[in-house]
Amino acid sequence: MDSEINHNSAFQGALNTLEVERKKIAETYKTTYILFGLAILFMIIGLLIRFPTLGFLGFAVSAITGIVMHFRIGDDVKKYKIAYKTNVVGSALKNINESLTITPQSGLPEYEFRSSELFTTESDRYKTQDLISGTNDKTSFWFAEVHAEYKTETSTKNGTRTQWHTIFKGIVFVADFNKNFNVSTVVRPKGFGEAFGSWFSKNVFSFGNSDVIELENIDFSNKFVTYSSNQIEARYILTPAMMERILDLNGKCDETISVSFIHSKMYIAFPLSENYFEAPIHSSLLDPDLLSGDLSIVKFMHDIVHELDLNTRIWGKE
């Protein structure tokens, strides 16, 4: 954690208060694990001494007590996690930019995920959380964790088998340009959709009148495919400088990003495997490196505005 945050008395007060709650929850979980272990032990001993009734009784009492404790602590865990995000993460965000706020139980609406045109597969299950929003100079931006999935159903001798497949898991970043683009311009990774095979080919949205735009930057064209129905506007947006900035941004990510310019907004999808801003239960909140990973991703998202020079509104309003 940043030393400035560590020396903030209000922040430390929030941490100390939540640390008491964390210890209580951790101890309860530890007790339930012991009870579940005892339940198994009672059953084994009962079978070994050929007194299964005693073993089953011991198993039942320990297991039921453990289950009741586990469910009772559920509401406390939920409140603790929300308080952590609101009070601890929320306070830490102000150290990056005073305008930053986090709304744990909100996210990117599904309709906005669809309208971004970043992905061409309809989602059958959509989860989103931890909406962070703010402004950087002239540019408003927001981002959230998203997990979108589609399902396939196959008939088997035992009935219908349902399988879930990830369309996207990661963070979707949105920035407002205050300028309504005439058409959609979408930049997707080269080979996008190939992994979906025949299922994907039957379920993609129509690209309508969108054409593949051939751009002069060879590195960009080797990494991405650009779709738009307006060559002039696409080239106006994807200037040589913008393409270089997108390539630089992509180079900092483990997987290839997707970018779109729709209506008045720019969308960027960052594939990520882990969840961020989750409160620890079995490790101390007083660890000085507690928020290092989470704050680094927020700083990364915040700095996109400067990375892509979004405040230089060559096509937008002041």
Side-chain angles (χ1 to χ4, degrees), residues 30 125 225 230 248-249 273 308:
K30 184 179 176 182
R125 187 162 65 187
V225 180
N230 187 322
D248 288 343
L249 185 66
S273 58
L308 298 183

mmCIF file of all heavy atoms in Angstrom, residues 30 125 225 230 248-249 273 308:
data_model
loop_
_atom_site.group_PDB
_atom_site.id
_atom_site.type_symbol
_atom_site.label_atom_id
_atom_site.label_comp_id
_atom_site.label_asym_id
_atom_site.label_seq_id
_atom_site.Cartn_x
_atom_site.Cartn_y
_atom_site.Cartn_z
ATOM 1 N N LYS A 30 -12.925 -21.407 11.163
ATOM 2 C CA LYS A 30 -11.984 -22.402 11.702
ATOM 3 C C LYS A 30 -12.730 -23.428 12.556
ATOM 4 O O LYS A 30 -12.480 -24.642 12.470
ATOM 5 C CB LYS A 30 -10.914 -21.689 12.537
ATOM 6 C CG LYS A 30 -9.828 -22.615 13.073
ATOM 7 C CD LYS A 30 -8.795 -21.812 13.857
ATOM 8 C CE LYS A 30 -7.748 -22.714 14.481
ATOM 9 N NZ LYS A 30 -6.758 -21.950 15.279
ATOM 10 N N ARG A 125 -25.900 -15.973 -19.339
ATOM 11 C CA ARG A 125 -25.709 -15.687 -17.922
ATOM 12 C C ARG A 125 -24.703 -14.547 -17.810
ATOM 13 O O ARG A 125 -23.637 -14.599 -18.414
ATOM 14 C CB ARG A 125 -25.212 -16.942 -17.184
ATOM 15 C CG ARG A 125 -25.140 -16.779 -15.673
ATOM 16 C CD ARG A 125 -25.078 -18.129 -14.967
ATOM 17 N NE ARG A 125 -23.873 -18.884 -15.255
ATOM 18 C CZ ARG A 125 -23.668 -20.141 -14.862
ATOM 19 N NH1 ARG A 125 -24.626 -20.777 -14.197
ATOM 20 N NH2 ARG A 125 -22.538 -20.762 -15.151
ATOM 21 N N VAL A 225 -8.170 -6.809 -36.054
ATOM 22 C CA VAL A 225 -9.009 -6.606 -37.238
ATOM 23 C C VAL A 225 -9.965 -5.477 -36.905
ATOM 24 O O VAL A 225 -10.591 -5.479 -35.830
ATOM 25 C CB VAL A 225 -9.809 -7.871 -37.602
ATOM 26 C CG1 VAL A 225 -10.669 -7.615 -38.835
ATOM 27 C CG2 VAL A 225 -8.888 -9.047 -37.843
ATOM 28 N N ASN A 230 -17.726 3.063 -42.183
ATOM 29 C CA ASN A 230 -17.319 4.385 -42.635
ATOM 30 C C ASN A 230 -15.803 4.493 -42.547
ATOM 31 O O ASN A 230 -15.236 4.709 -41.476
ATOM 32 C CB ASN A 230 -17.994 5.460 -41.759
ATOM 33 C CG ASN A 230 -17.760 6.866 -42.270
ATOM 34 O OD1 ASN A 230 -16.676 7.197 -42.754
ATOM 35 N ND2 ASN A 230 -18.778 7.709 -42.156
ATOM 36 N N ASP A 248 0.602 -0.030 -27.513
ATOM 37 C CA ASP A 248 1.360 0.079 -26.264
ATOM 38 C C ASP A 248 0.527 -0.415 -25.079
ATOM 39 O O ASP A 248 1.030 -1.129 -24.211
ATOM 40 C CB ASP A 248 1.789 1.530 -26.023
ATOM 41 C CG ASP A 248 2.891 1.973 -26.984
ATOM 42 O OD1 ASP A 248 3.522 1.086 -27.594
ATOM 43 O OD2 ASP A 248 3.104 3.188 -27.128
ATOM 44 N N LEU A 249 -0.744 -0.020 -25.053
ATOM 45 C CA LEU A 249 -1.640 -0.450 -23.980
ATOM 46 C C LEU A 249 -1.809 -1.963 -24.001
ATOM 47 O O LEU A 249 -1.739 -2.637 -22.967
ATOM 48 C CB LEU A 249 -3.007 0.226 -24.148
ATOM 49 C CG LEU A 249 -4.032 -0.006 -23.048
ATOM 50 C CD1 LEU A 249 -3.581 0.640 -21.743
ATOM 51 C CD2 LEU A 249 -5.391 0.539 -23.473
ATOM 52 N N SER A 273 -8.268 -13.108 -15.302
ATOM 53 C CA SER A 273 -8.767 -14.348 -14.703
ATOM 54 C C SER A 273 -9.164 -14.196 -13.237
ATOM 55 O O SER A 273 -9.950 -14.975 -12.720
ATOM 56 C CB SER A 273 -7.705 -15.453 -14.821
ATOM 57 O OG SER A 273 -6.502 -15.042 -14.200
ATOM 58 N N LEU A 308 -4.044 7.005 -23.877
ATOM 59 C CA LEU A 308 -4.653 7.135 -25.202
ATOM 60 C C LEU A 308 -4.910 8.597 -25.576
ATOM 61 O O LEU A 308 -5.502 8.867 -26.613
ATOM 62 C CB LEU A 308 -5.968 6.350 -25.256
ATOM 63 C CG LEU A 308 -5.848 4.841 -25.030
ATOM 64 C CD1 LEU A 308 -7.200 4.165 -25.192
ATOM 65 C CD2 LEU A 308 -4.842 4.208 -25.995
#
